[in-house]
Amino acid sequence: MKTKQWAIIAYITIIGWIIAFVKNKENKDTLVTYHLEQALGLAIASLLWSVAVGVLLSIIPALSALLSILGILPLIFMIFGIINANSGVHKPIPVIGKFFENKFVFLQQ
Protein backbone atom coordinates (compact mmCIF):
# COMPACT_ATOMS: atom_id res chain seq x y z
CA MET A 1 0.00 0.00 0.00
CA LYS A 2 1.02 3.58 -0.49
CA THR A 3 1.82 5.83 2.44
CA LYS A 4 -1.27 7.96 1.80
CA GLN A 5 -3.43 4.88 2.24
CA TRP A 6 -1.77 4.02 5.58
CA ALA A 7 -2.30 7.61 6.71
CA ILE A 8 -6.01 7.34 5.82
CA ILE A 9 -6.39 3.97 7.56
CA ALA A 10 -5.04 5.54 10.76
CA TYR A 11 -8.25 7.58 11.05
CA ILE A 12 -10.61 4.64 10.61
CA THR A 13 -11.25 3.10 14.05
CA ILE A 14 -8.66 2.21 16.64
CA ILE A 15 -7.96 -1.08 14.85
CA GLY A 16 -7.06 0.86 11.70
CA TRP A 17 -4.80 3.07 13.81
CA ILE A 18 -3.01 0.01 15.25
CA ILE A 19 -2.52 -1.52 11.80
CA ALA A 20 -1.11 1.75 10.42
CA PHE A 21 1.11 2.07 13.51
CA VAL A 22 2.58 -1.42 13.02
CA LYS A 23 3.15 -0.82 9.31
CA ASN A 24 4.77 2.53 10.03
CA LYS A 25 7.15 0.85 12.49
CA GLU A 26 8.40 -1.33 9.63
CA ASN A 27 8.88 1.51 7.14
CA LYS A 28 8.96 4.94 8.77
CA ASP A 29 7.24 7.68 6.81
CA THR A 30 6.71 11.23 8.03
CA LEU A 31 3.24 11.50 6.45
CA VAL A 32 1.97 8.37 8.18
CA THR A 33 3.58 9.38 11.49
CA TYR A 34 1.99 12.82 11.33
CA HIS A 35 -1.47 11.43 10.64
CA LEU A 36 -1.03 8.76 13.31
CA GLU A 37 -0.49 11.63 15.76
CA GLN A 38 -3.54 13.49 14.49
CA ALA A 39 -5.73 10.37 14.53
CA LEU A 40 -4.67 9.42 18.06
CA GLY A 41 -5.29 12.97 19.23
CA LEU A 42 -8.70 12.91 17.60
CA ALA A 43 -9.54 9.60 19.30
CA ILE A 44 -8.55 11.00 22.71
CA ALA A 45 -10.47 14.24 22.11
CA SER A 46 -13.52 12.26 20.94
CA LEU A 47 -13.46 10.17 24.08
CA LEU A 48 -13.22 13.27 26.27
CA TRP A 49 -15.98 14.95 24.26
CA SER A 50 -18.22 11.91 24.73
CA VAL A 51 -17.68 11.91 28.49
CA ALA A 52 -18.33 15.67 28.70
CA VAL A 53 -21.55 15.33 26.68
CA GLY A 54 -22.71 12.48 28.91
CA VAL A 55 -22.09 14.52 32.05
CA LEU A 56 -23.82 17.58 30.60
CA LEU A 57 -26.81 15.53 29.53
CA SER A 58 -27.17 14.01 32.98
CA ILE A 59 -27.13 17.50 34.50
CA ILE A 60 -29.16 19.39 31.87
CA PRO A 61 -31.33 17.02 29.78
CA ALA A 62 -32.81 19.95 27.85
CA LEU A 63 -29.53 20.27 25.92
CA SER A 64 -30.00 16.89 24.25
CA ALA A 65 -30.99 18.32 20.84
CA LEU A 66 -28.04 20.71 20.71
CA LEU A 67 -25.52 18.18 21.98
CA SER A 68 -26.72 15.50 19.60
CA ILE A 69 -26.01 17.86 16.71
CA LEU A 70 -22.59 18.73 18.15
CA GLY A 71 -21.95 15.01 18.61
CA ILE A 72 -21.00 14.72 14.95
CA LEU A 73 -17.98 17.04 15.37
CA PRO A 74 -15.52 14.14 15.78
CA LEU A 75 -16.83 12.62 12.55
CA ILE A 76 -16.39 15.93 10.75
CA PHE A 77 -12.84 16.27 12.11
CA MET A 78 -12.10 12.69 11.01
CA ILE A 79 -13.25 13.54 7.48
CA PHE A 80 -10.94 16.58 7.45
CA GLY A 81 -8.07 14.35 8.57
CA ILE A 82 -8.78 11.81 5.85
CA ILE A 83 -8.92 14.56 3.22
CA ASN A 84 -5.57 15.92 4.43
CA ALA A 85 -4.02 12.44 4.43
CA ASN A 86 -5.32 11.76 0.93
CA SER A 87 -3.85 15.07 -0.24
CA GLY A 88 -0.50 14.08 1.25
CA VAL A 89 -0.18 17.23 3.36
CA HIS A 90 0.94 17.71 6.96
CA LYS A 91 -2.02 19.88 7.88
CA PRO A 92 -3.59 19.65 11.35
CA ILE A 93 -7.22 18.82 12.00
CA PRO A 94 -9.24 22.03 12.52
CA VAL A 95 -9.56 23.35 16.08
CA ILE A 96 -7.79 20.49 17.93
CA GLY A 97 -5.04 19.38 15.54
CA LYS A 98 -2.34 21.88 16.56
CA PHE A 99 -2.56 20.67 20.15
CA PHE A 100 -1.52 17.13 19.20
CA GLU A 101 1.42 17.94 16.92
CA ASN A 102 4.63 16.36 18.28
CA LYS A 103 2.94 15.30 21.53
CA PHE A 104 3.26 11.54 21.10
CA VAL A 105 6.99 10.89 21.30
CA PHE A 106 6.64 7.12 20.91
CA LEU A 107 5.48 7.64 17.32
CA GLN A 108 8.69 9.46 16.41
CA GLN A 109 10.99 6.62 17.48
XYZ file of all heavy atoms in Angstrom:
852
model
N 0.831 -1.187 0.000
C 0.000 0.000 0.000
C 0.877 1.253 0.000
O 1.987 1.233 0.505
C -0.891 0.032 1.242
C -2.085 -0.848 1.189
S -3.110 -0.511 2.631
C -4.676 -0.828 1.961
N 0.305 2.307 -0.484
C 1.017 3.582 -0.494
C 0.914 4.240 0.871
O 0.019 3.940 1.664
C 0.412 4.490 -1.557
C 0.563 3.963 -2.960
C -0.086 4.900 -3.948
C -0.007 4.304 -5.342
N -0.709 5.135 -6.319
N 1.814 5.169 1.131
C 1.819 5.833 2.437
C 0.553 6.639 2.683
O 0.086 6.717 3.815
C 3.046 6.746 2.574
O 3.043 7.700 1.515
C 4.326 5.956 2.547
N -0.020 7.215 1.635
C -1.275 7.955 1.800
C -2.372 7.037 2.329
O -3.163 7.429 3.180
C -1.737 8.549 0.471
C -1.019 9.770 0.037
C -1.760 10.315 -1.178
C -0.914 11.188 -2.029
N -1.635 11.687 -3.186
N -2.396 5.825 1.818
C -3.426 4.876 2.242
C -3.250 4.496 3.719
O -4.236 4.361 4.447
C -3.398 3.639 1.360
C -3.836 3.948 -0.060
C -3.552 2.820 -1.021
O -2.589 2.070 -0.857
N -4.398 2.694 -2.044
N -2.012 4.325 4.167
C -1.768 4.020 5.583
C -2.162 5.205 6.452
O -2.677 5.030 7.555
C -0.323 3.621 5.830
C 0.005 2.275 5.259
C 0.933 2.009 4.307
C -0.622 1.030 5.571
N 0.929 0.659 4.008
C -0.019 0.043 4.784
C -1.642 0.648 6.447
C -0.388 -1.299 4.830
C -2.013 -0.690 6.496
C -1.387 -1.641 5.705
N -1.912 6.409 5.960
C -2.303 7.607 6.715
C -3.824 7.699 6.829
O -4.349 8.076 7.879
C -1.738 8.854 6.045
N -4.537 7.325 5.780
C -6.006 7.340 5.820
C -6.522 6.269 6.771
O -7.428 6.517 7.575
C -6.582 7.139 4.399
C -6.281 8.362 3.534
C -8.080 6.867 4.445
C -6.573 8.166 2.061
N -5.951 5.077 6.708
C -6.390 3.971 7.556
C -6.230 4.318 9.038
O -7.009 3.864 9.875
C -5.624 2.681 7.186
C -6.120 2.184 5.824
C -5.779 1.605 8.243
C -5.334 1.038 5.248
N -5.263 5.152 9.364
C -5.039 5.542 10.761
C -6.264 6.223 11.365
O -6.492 6.130 12.573
C -3.826 6.473 10.857
N -7.059 6.878 10.556
C -8.245 7.580 11.055
C -9.457 6.661 11.240
O -10.401 7.022 11.930
C -8.643 8.710 10.098
C -7.722 9.893 10.162
C -6.717 10.070 9.222
C -7.845 10.837 11.168
C -5.865 11.158 9.272
C -7.004 11.928 11.236
C -6.011 12.072 10.286
O -5.168 13.151 10.353
N -9.429 5.504 10.623
C -10.612 4.640 10.608
C -10.518 3.620 11.736
O -9.852 2.604 11.609
C -10.764 3.958 9.239
C -10.818 5.035 8.163
C -11.996 3.082 9.206
C -10.761 4.524 6.755
N -11.170 3.890 12.810
C -11.250 3.102 14.049
C -9.888 2.897 14.685
O -8.839 3.136 14.080
C -11.930 1.724 13.851
O -11.065 0.837 13.173
C -13.255 1.845 13.147
N -9.906 2.447 15.899
C -8.661 2.209 16.639
C -7.902 1.019 16.050
O -6.677 0.989 16.075
C -8.927 2.037 18.158
C -7.644 2.191 18.970
C -9.599 0.728 18.458
C -7.088 3.584 18.959
N -8.625 0.069 15.485
C -7.965 -1.079 14.845
C -7.187 -0.611 13.625
O -6.052 -1.039 13.397
C -8.995 -2.164 14.483
C -9.592 -2.743 15.769
C -8.368 -3.263 13.639
C -10.775 -3.637 15.561
N -7.769 0.282 12.839
C -7.056 0.856 11.702
C -5.828 1.620 12.152
O -4.776 1.558 11.508
N -5.943 2.325 13.284
C -4.796 3.068 13.812
C -3.672 2.098 14.187
O -2.509 2.357 13.877
C -5.209 3.898 15.026
C -4.122 4.810 15.487
C -3.907 6.087 15.095
C -3.074 4.503 16.416
N -2.800 6.600 15.711
C -2.264 5.647 16.527
C -2.738 3.377 17.150
C -1.141 5.689 17.352
C -1.621 3.411 17.971
C -0.839 4.569 18.065
N -4.022 0.996 14.835
C -3.012 0.009 15.251
C -2.331 -0.608 14.039
O -1.105 -0.762 14.015
C -3.646 -1.070 16.154
C -4.065 -0.446 17.488
C -2.694 -2.236 16.375
C -4.932 -1.331 18.356
N -3.102 -0.942 13.020
C -2.523 -1.520 11.801
C -1.563 -0.536 11.142
O -0.450 -0.892 10.750
C -3.642 -1.951 10.827
C -4.417 -3.122 11.419
C -3.070 -2.304 9.456
C -5.692 -3.461 10.671
N -1.982 0.734 11.025
C -1.115 1.748 10.423
C 0.129 1.977 11.282
O 1.224 2.179 10.750
C -1.882 3.055 10.238
N -0.019 1.913 12.596
C 1.112 2.074 13.506
C 2.141 0.963 13.301
O 3.340 1.222 13.204
C 0.622 2.082 14.959
C 1.709 2.101 15.979
C 2.439 3.255 16.212
C 2.015 0.965 16.717
C 3.444 3.282 17.159
C 3.016 0.980 17.661
C 3.733 2.142 17.879
N 1.675 -0.282 13.221
C 2.579 -1.419 13.021
C 3.276 -1.315 11.671
O 4.494 -1.528 11.576
C 1.804 -2.753 13.155
C 2.646 -3.930 12.715
C 1.326 -2.942 14.585
N 2.538 -0.968 10.629
C 3.151 -0.824 9.307
C 4.152 0.327 9.270
O 5.171 0.240 8.595
C 2.073 -0.595 8.242
C 1.398 -1.853 7.815
C 2.420 -2.862 7.383
C 2.081 -3.470 6.087
N 3.040 -4.503 5.693
N 3.856 1.392 10.006
C 4.770 2.528 10.032
C 6.042 2.192 10.809
O 7.091 2.763 10.556
C 4.088 3.761 10.624
C 4.868 5.030 10.366
O 5.317 5.262 9.249
N 5.026 5.834 11.385
N 5.950 1.283 11.764
C 7.150 0.846 12.494
C 8.120 0.141 11.545
O 9.326 0.264 11.688
C 6.784 -0.104 13.641
C 6.308 0.584 14.884
C 7.463 1.278 15.535
C 7.088 1.752 16.919
N 8.106 2.607 17.488
N 7.570 -0.617 10.590
C 8.400 -1.335 9.629
C 9.100 -0.375 8.666
O 10.290 -0.495 8.417
C 7.548 -2.322 8.829
C 6.978 -3.447 9.645
C 5.986 -4.284 8.852
O 5.818 -4.064 7.632
O 5.363 -5.162 9.474
N 8.346 0.540 8.107
C 8.878 1.512 7.139
C 8.438 2.904 7.564
O 7.334 3.335 7.235
C 8.347 1.223 5.725
C 8.749 -0.136 5.214
O 9.853 -0.578 5.457
N 7.851 -0.791 4.522
N 9.299 3.600 8.274
C 8.957 4.943 8.772
C 8.672 5.897 7.621
O 9.401 5.936 6.637
C 10.107 5.528 9.596
C 10.160 5.030 11.003
C 9.068 5.678 11.782
C 9.235 5.332 13.245
N 8.060 5.594 14.004
N 7.593 6.640 7.772
C 7.240 7.676 6.813
C 6.683 8.856 7.592
O 5.844 8.676 8.475
C 6.203 7.149 5.813
C 5.894 8.173 4.750
O 6.678 8.299 3.796
O 4.865 8.864 4.887
N 7.130 10.053 7.273
C 6.709 11.232 8.028
C 5.217 11.525 7.860
O 4.573 11.974 8.802
C 7.519 12.476 7.619
O 7.359 12.718 6.221
C 8.983 12.296 7.955
N 4.665 11.259 6.676
C 3.243 11.500 6.453
C 2.389 10.590 7.341
O 1.460 11.047 8.004
C 2.872 11.286 4.982
C 1.392 11.508 4.643
C 1.047 12.993 4.743
C 1.065 10.973 3.273
N 2.734 9.317 7.368
C 1.973 8.371 8.184
C 2.135 8.710 9.666
O 1.151 8.710 10.416
C 2.411 6.921 7.894
C 1.645 5.942 8.775
C 2.198 6.576 6.423
N 3.348 9.025 10.087
C 3.581 9.383 11.485
C 2.770 10.602 11.881
O 2.147 10.630 12.946
C 5.084 9.649 11.734
O 5.824 8.481 11.384
C 5.352 9.989 13.181
N 2.746 11.606 11.033
C 1.986 12.819 11.326
C 0.498 12.509 11.484
O -0.153 12.961 12.427
C 2.191 13.865 10.221
C 1.474 15.153 10.507
C 2.032 16.088 11.360
C 0.230 15.425 9.966
C 1.370 17.273 11.651
C -0.443 16.596 10.248
C 0.142 17.523 11.093
O -0.516 18.684 11.398
N -0.041 11.726 10.577
C -1.475 11.431 10.641
C -1.793 10.415 11.741
O -2.926 10.403 12.243
C -2.007 11.019 9.270
C -2.086 12.195 8.347
N -3.053 13.172 8.476
C -1.298 12.588 7.323
C -2.867 14.093 7.559
N -1.801 13.765 6.840
N -0.833 9.595 12.123
C -1.030 8.760 13.309
C -1.189 9.640 14.546
O -2.049 9.381 15.397
C 0.149 7.798 13.502
C 0.155 6.540 12.644
C 1.513 5.858 12.721
C -0.950 5.591 13.058
N -0.371 10.684 14.642
C -0.491 11.632 15.762
C -1.860 12.313 15.754
O -2.520 12.414 16.795
C 0.580 12.722 15.668
C 1.955 12.297 16.027
C 2.959 13.438 15.886
O 2.646 14.454 15.226
O 4.050 13.308 16.452
N -2.262 12.793 14.595
C -3.536 13.493 14.494
C -4.709 12.561 14.809
O -5.642 12.946 15.516
C -3.706 14.088 13.097
C -2.740 15.203 12.778
C -3.023 16.446 13.587
O -4.104 17.008 13.533
N -2.042 16.875 14.365
N -4.648 11.324 14.303
C -5.735 10.374 14.535
C -5.819 9.960 16.006
O -6.915 9.832 16.559
C -5.549 9.143 13.645
N -4.668 9.764 16.641
C -4.669 9.423 18.064
C -5.190 10.588 18.889
O -5.979 10.404 19.817
C -3.268 9.020 18.524
C -3.146 8.581 19.983
C -4.058 7.393 20.270
C -1.699 8.238 20.296
N -4.778 11.782 18.552
C -5.288 12.971 19.235
C -6.791 13.115 19.054
O -7.512 13.437 20.006
N -7.268 12.841 17.854
C -8.705 12.905 17.596
C -9.457 11.854 18.404
O -10.520 12.130 18.958
C -8.984 12.730 16.104
C -10.448 12.720 15.680
C -11.127 14.036 16.048
C -10.563 12.462 14.193
N -8.891 10.660 18.517
C -9.543 9.602 19.304
C -9.629 9.995 20.775
O -10.671 9.804 21.418
C -8.786 8.290 19.136
N -8.557 10.566 21.303
C -8.552 11.005 22.705
C -9.554 12.144 22.907
O -10.333 12.138 23.858
C -7.129 11.420 23.132
C -6.223 10.190 23.186
C -7.146 12.139 24.470
C -4.750 10.516 23.323
N -9.535 13.110 22.005
C -10.469 14.237 22.106
C -11.914 13.763 21.970
O -12.806 14.267 22.669
C -10.146 15.279 21.035
N -12.166 12.795 21.107
C -13.517 12.260 20.937
C -14.000 11.572 22.203
O -15.164 11.711 22.596
C -13.565 11.270 19.776
O -13.255 11.903 18.579
N -13.113 10.839 22.833
C -13.458 10.175 24.084
C -13.793 11.196 25.172
O -14.806 11.068 25.868
C -12.317 9.261 24.542
C -12.547 8.482 25.822
C -13.679 7.488 25.642
C -11.274 7.784 26.232
N -12.960 12.216 25.284
C -13.216 13.269 26.270
C -14.508 14.015 25.954
O -15.276 14.361 26.865
C -12.040 14.241 26.325
C -10.726 13.680 26.867
C -9.615 14.698 26.727
C -10.886 13.234 28.300
N -14.758 14.280 24.674
C -15.985 14.952 24.259
C -17.208 14.110 24.631
O -18.209 14.621 25.126
C -15.947 15.223 22.756
C -17.187 15.849 22.219
C -18.107 15.257 21.409
C -17.667 17.164 22.442
N -19.109 16.138 21.112
C -18.870 17.322 21.747
C -17.185 18.248 23.184
C -19.612 18.490 21.755
C -17.924 19.418 23.192
C -19.107 19.531 22.486
N -17.117 12.805 24.411
C -18.221 11.911 24.726
C -18.530 11.902 26.221
O -19.697 11.938 26.626
C -17.879 10.499 24.250
O -18.893 9.599 24.595
N -17.485 11.874 27.036
C -17.678 11.913 28.492
C -18.300 13.245 28.910
O -19.237 13.285 29.714
C -16.343 11.660 29.224
C -16.463 11.944 30.707
C -15.874 10.238 28.989
N -17.795 14.340 28.358
C -18.326 15.667 28.702
C -19.800 15.792 28.302
O -20.605 16.325 29.066
C -17.495 16.753 28.022
N -20.154 15.277 27.132
C -21.547 15.330 26.680
C -22.425 14.495 27.607
O -23.525 14.913 27.980
C -21.667 14.867 25.213
C -23.108 14.580 24.835
C -21.072 15.904 24.285
N -21.946 13.330 27.995
C -22.709 12.482 28.905
C -22.964 13.150 30.241
O -24.071 13.092 30.781
N -21.937 13.808 30.782
C -22.087 14.516 32.050
C -23.064 15.675 31.902
O -23.952 15.870 32.736
C -20.705 15.002 32.568
C -20.857 15.962 33.727
C -19.839 13.815 32.949
N -22.913 16.451 30.834
C -23.824 17.581 30.605
C -25.271 17.129 30.430
O -26.188 17.766 30.939
C -23.390 18.385 29.382
C -22.316 19.425 29.607
C -21.876 20.025 28.284
C -22.797 20.513 30.538
N -25.452 16.023 29.726
C -26.814 15.530 29.528
C -27.437 15.023 30.821
O -28.646 15.119 31.013
C -26.839 14.432 28.470
C -26.744 14.905 27.037
C -26.695 13.721 26.080
C -27.903 15.811 26.684
N -26.622 14.477 31.707
C -27.174 14.014 32.981
C -27.540 15.191 33.881
O -28.434 15.083 34.706
C -26.186 13.081 33.690
O -25.044 13.795 34.088
N -26.847 16.317 33.696
C -27.132 17.502 34.504
C -28.262 18.324 33.890
O -29.180 18.760 34.576
C -25.865 18.369 34.662
C -24.795 17.600 35.443
C -26.184 19.684 35.351
C -23.437 18.265 35.446
N -28.186 18.544 32.566
C -29.163 19.390 31.873
C -29.731 18.621 30.674
O -29.231 18.754 29.549
C -28.506 20.704 31.391
C -27.736 21.371 32.506
C -29.568 21.646 30.818
C -26.853 22.498 32.049
N -30.765 17.814 30.879
C -31.325 17.018 29.777
C -31.910 17.855 28.635
O -32.035 17.370 27.512
C -32.437 16.204 30.446
C -32.175 16.278 31.893
C -31.393 17.525 32.148
N -32.232 19.094 28.884
C -32.811 19.953 27.847
C -31.821 20.245 26.715
O -32.219 20.662 25.629
C -33.299 21.260 28.458
N -30.554 20.013 26.956
C -29.532 20.266 25.922
C -29.367 19.101 24.950
O -28.487 19.145 24.095
C -28.180 20.543 26.580
C -28.048 21.840 27.363
C -26.676 21.910 28.016
C -28.253 23.035 26.458
N -30.206 18.090 25.058
C -30.001 16.886 24.250
C -30.029 17.163 22.743
O -29.244 16.591 21.996
C -31.015 15.812 24.615
O -32.325 16.261 24.328
N -30.913 18.026 22.276
C -30.987 18.321 20.842
C -29.711 18.997 20.355
O -29.133 18.611 19.337
C -32.194 19.201 20.544
N -29.256 19.991 21.094
C -28.038 20.710 20.715
C -26.817 19.801 20.768
O -26.006 19.774 19.835
C -27.824 21.914 21.637
C -26.516 22.674 21.457
C -26.489 23.355 20.096
C -26.322 23.674 22.564
N -26.689 19.031 21.831
C -25.518 18.178 21.983
C -25.518 17.008 21.005
O -24.451 16.534 20.614
C -25.403 17.688 23.425
C -25.074 18.781 24.441
C -25.050 18.209 25.855
C -23.757 19.454 24.128
N -26.687 16.573 20.593
C -26.717 15.505 19.595
C -26.226 16.014 18.244
O -25.569 15.291 17.498
C -28.117 14.912 19.472
O -29.014 15.866 18.962
N -26.520 17.268 17.943
C -26.006 17.863 16.706
C -24.488 18.051 16.808
O -23.749 17.744 15.874
C -26.706 19.200 16.413
C -28.171 18.947 16.070
C -26.017 19.944 15.271
C -29.018 20.193 15.984
N -24.029 18.533 17.953
C -22.588 18.730 18.147
C -21.838 17.411 18.289
O -20.614 17.382 18.213
C -22.342 19.616 19.373
C -22.817 21.063 19.252
C -22.583 21.804 20.558
C -22.113 21.763 18.106
N -22.574 16.326 18.482
C -21.952 15.008 18.606
C -21.294 14.528 17.330
O -20.480 13.600 17.365
N -21.617 15.138 16.207
C -20.998 14.722 14.946
C -19.670 15.437 14.674
O -19.018 15.160 13.676
C -21.958 14.901 13.754
C -22.285 16.369 13.531
C -23.201 14.070 13.913
C -22.981 16.639 12.225
N -19.260 16.331 15.570
C -17.984 17.044 15.372
C -16.792 16.098 15.200
O -15.973 16.314 14.294
C -17.733 18.015 16.522
C -18.455 19.349 16.422
C -18.195 20.188 17.679
C -18.048 20.103 15.188
N -16.650 15.049 16.016
C -15.519 14.144 15.784
C -15.541 13.502 14.394
O -14.486 13.333 13.774
C -15.668 13.092 16.887
C -16.397 13.804 17.971
C -17.345 14.726 17.259
N -16.716 13.184 13.898
C -16.826 12.621 12.552
C -16.384 13.633 11.503
O -15.651 13.293 10.563
C -18.264 12.174 12.278
C -18.539 11.663 10.869
C -17.758 10.384 10.607
C -20.018 11.440 10.664
N -16.789 14.870 11.679
C -16.387 15.934 10.747
C -14.872 16.127 10.787
O -14.226 16.243 9.739
C -17.136 17.242 11.065
C -18.627 17.073 10.772
C -16.565 18.415 10.276
C -19.501 18.189 11.293
N -14.293 16.137 11.987
C -12.841 16.271 12.109
C -12.127 15.081 11.473
O -11.068 15.232 10.857
C -12.423 16.408 13.573
C -12.839 17.714 14.199
C -13.027 17.809 15.567
C -13.034 18.857 13.449
C -13.392 19.006 16.161
C -13.404 20.059 14.023
C -13.587 20.128 15.384
N -12.699 13.873 11.620
C -12.103 12.691 11.007
C -12.100 12.834 9.483
O -11.111 12.505 8.821
C -12.868 11.442 11.416
C -12.273 10.173 10.832
S -13.178 8.691 11.286
C -14.555 8.791 10.167
N -13.175 13.346 8.927
C -13.248 13.541 7.477
C -12.188 14.543 7.018
O -11.528 14.334 5.993
C -14.668 13.966 7.058
C -15.633 12.792 7.271
C -14.706 14.450 5.619
C -17.094 13.146 7.142
N -12.003 15.629 7.784
C -10.942 16.584 7.450
C -9.570 15.905 7.479
O -8.730 16.148 6.610
C -10.946 17.771 8.415
C -11.881 18.868 8.033
C -13.030 19.100 8.772
C -11.625 19.683 6.951
C -13.912 20.111 8.436
C -12.488 20.698 6.597
C -13.639 20.922 7.335
N -9.340 15.069 8.479
C -8.067 14.355 8.570
C -7.854 13.424 7.393
O -6.750 13.346 6.840
N -8.888 12.714 6.990
C -8.784 11.808 5.845
C -8.516 12.587 4.564
O -7.689 12.169 3.735
C -10.064 10.952 5.723
C -10.113 9.934 6.874
C -10.129 10.238 4.379
C -11.413 9.178 6.988
N -9.161 13.719 4.404
C -8.918 14.558 3.215
C -7.471 15.036 3.198
O -6.804 14.995 2.157
C -9.908 15.738 3.174
C -11.319 15.232 2.882
C -9.481 16.784 2.143
C -12.405 16.265 3.064
N -6.963 15.474 4.355
C -5.572 15.921 4.430
C -4.603 14.780 4.142
O -3.601 14.963 3.454
C -5.271 16.526 5.799
C -5.980 17.837 6.018
O -6.376 18.515 5.081
N -6.164 18.199 7.275
N -4.891 13.598 4.678
C -4.024 12.440 4.433
C -4.044 12.061 2.955
O -3.002 11.755 2.373
C -4.471 11.264 5.297
N -5.203 12.088 2.339
C -5.320 11.762 0.925
C -4.591 12.776 0.052
O -4.055 12.432 -0.998
C -6.789 11.663 0.511
C -6.950 11.098 -0.873
O -6.317 10.114 -1.227
N -7.794 11.730 -1.668
N -4.559 14.030 0.509
C -3.846 15.068 -0.237
C -2.338 14.994 -0.025
O -1.584 15.648 -0.733
C -4.342 16.452 0.193
O -5.712 16.570 -0.074
N -1.923 14.230 0.974
C -0.498 14.082 1.248
C 0.118 15.276 1.944
O 1.320 15.516 1.831
N -0.693 16.037 2.682
C -0.184 17.226 3.361
C -0.112 17.007 4.870
O -0.856 16.210 5.427
C -1.056 18.474 3.062
C -0.983 18.831 1.600
C -2.489 18.267 3.484
N 0.793 17.722 5.503
C 0.944 17.705 6.958
C 0.152 18.881 7.519
O 0.715 19.842 8.015
C 2.419 17.843 7.350
C 3.234 16.658 6.966
N 4.143 16.097 7.813
C 3.288 15.919 5.839
C 4.718 15.074 7.226
N 4.215 14.957 6.018
N -1.147 18.796 7.437
C -2.025 19.878 7.878
C -2.843 19.372 9.067
O -3.444 18.302 8.992
C -2.950 20.277 6.731
C -3.804 21.472 7.008
C -4.608 21.826 5.762
C -5.558 22.970 6.065
N -6.416 23.251 4.914
N -2.866 20.136 10.166
C -3.591 19.653 11.354
C -5.108 19.672 11.167
O -5.647 20.425 10.360
C -3.168 20.633 12.450
C -2.775 21.863 11.730
C -2.227 21.421 10.396
N -5.756 18.843 11.954
C -7.216 18.821 11.997
C -7.675 20.173 12.536
O -7.053 20.714 13.451
C -7.690 17.677 12.914
C -7.286 16.327 12.330
C -9.191 17.728 13.131
C -7.517 15.178 13.265
N -8.766 20.723 12.008
C -9.236 22.027 12.518
C -9.502 21.992 14.024
O -9.901 20.978 14.572
C -10.540 22.250 11.749
C -10.457 21.371 10.561
C -9.605 20.220 10.937
N -9.282 23.076 14.671
C -9.556 23.354 16.085
C -8.629 22.598 17.028
O -7.955 23.212 17.848
C -11.034 23.090 16.463
C -11.293 23.432 17.914
C -11.983 23.830 15.551
N -8.540 21.271 16.937
C -7.786 20.494 17.925
C -6.452 19.967 17.414
O -5.625 19.515 18.195
C -8.621 19.308 18.451
C -8.991 18.368 17.310
C -9.843 19.799 19.193
C -9.657 17.087 17.755
N -6.217 20.005 16.127
C -5.039 19.382 15.537
C -3.704 19.946 15.992
O -2.754 19.206 16.218
N -3.604 21.256 16.142
C -2.342 21.878 16.555
C -1.902 21.395 17.936
O -0.719 21.289 18.222
C -2.480 23.408 16.584
C -2.428 24.035 15.234
C -1.006 24.198 14.817
C -0.963 25.037 13.551
N 0.289 24.936 12.873
N -2.867 21.103 18.786
C -2.558 20.674 20.148
C -1.826 19.339 20.163
O -1.003 19.090 21.046
C -3.847 20.575 20.974
C -3.609 20.161 22.387
C -3.071 21.050 23.300
C -3.904 18.883 22.804
C -2.833 20.663 24.606
C -3.685 18.481 24.100
C -3.137 19.378 25.013
N -2.089 18.478 19.194
C -1.520 17.131 19.200
C -0.269 16.975 18.346
O 0.272 15.879 18.264
C -2.584 16.123 18.757
C -3.737 16.048 19.706
C -4.976 16.531 19.353
C -3.567 15.513 20.969
C -6.033 16.473 20.234
C -4.620 15.450 21.864
C -5.855 15.928 21.495
N 0.197 18.047 17.711
C 1.420 17.942 16.924
C 2.615 17.724 17.845
O 2.822 18.455 18.808
C 1.620 19.200 16.081
C 0.673 19.280 14.909
C 0.902 20.500 14.057
O 1.393 21.519 14.575
O 0.572 20.439 12.863
N 3.397 16.706 17.547
C 4.628 16.361 18.276
C 4.400 16.095 19.763
O 5.287 16.308 20.570
C 5.686 17.450 18.097
C 6.024 17.665 16.645
O 6.192 16.709 15.893
N 6.092 18.915 16.234
N 3.220 15.617 20.136
C 2.937 15.300 21.533
C 3.181 13.826 21.858
O 3.399 13.472 22.999
C 1.472 15.630 21.882
C 1.153 17.081 21.792
C 1.832 17.862 22.885
C 1.350 19.289 22.811
N 2.183 20.235 23.462
N 3.126 12.974 20.875
C 3.264 11.539 21.102
C 4.665 11.096 20.661
O 4.876 10.697 19.517
C 2.170 10.776 20.355
C 0.786 11.246 20.725
C 0.007 11.956 19.807
C 0.255 10.984 21.969
C -1.270 12.384 20.134
C -1.014 11.424 22.319
C -1.775 12.114 21.400
N 5.583 11.154 21.586
C 6.993 10.893 21.296
C 7.214 9.457 20.797
O 8.058 9.221 19.943
C 7.853 11.165 22.551
C 9.314 10.842 22.303
C 7.677 12.603 22.986
N 6.444 8.505 21.312
C 6.643 7.124 20.915
C 6.399 6.892 19.420
O 6.913 5.924 18.852
C 5.753 6.183 21.749
C 4.289 6.280 21.450
C 3.698 5.432 20.536
C 3.498 7.227 22.089
C 2.340 5.528 20.268
C 2.150 7.321 21.828
C 1.573 6.460 20.903
N 5.693 7.778 18.763
C 5.477 7.644 17.321
C 6.692 8.096 16.532
O 6.878 7.672 15.388
C 4.250 8.462 16.896
C 2.910 7.968 17.410
C 1.813 8.950 17.050
C 2.584 6.601 16.850
N 7.509 8.939 17.106
C 8.690 9.461 16.409
C 9.852 8.481 16.418
O 10.777 8.618 15.633
C 9.137 10.783 17.053
C 8.061 11.836 17.138
C 7.567 12.275 15.778
O 8.295 12.254 14.789
N 6.304 12.671 15.708
N 9.839 7.542 17.322
C 10.986 6.618 17.483
C 10.995 5.515 16.471
O 10.081 5.043 15.981
C 10.986 6.042 18.891
C 11.105 7.109 19.921
C 10.904 6.578 21.334
O 10.569 5.433 21.525
N 11.118 7.418 22.303
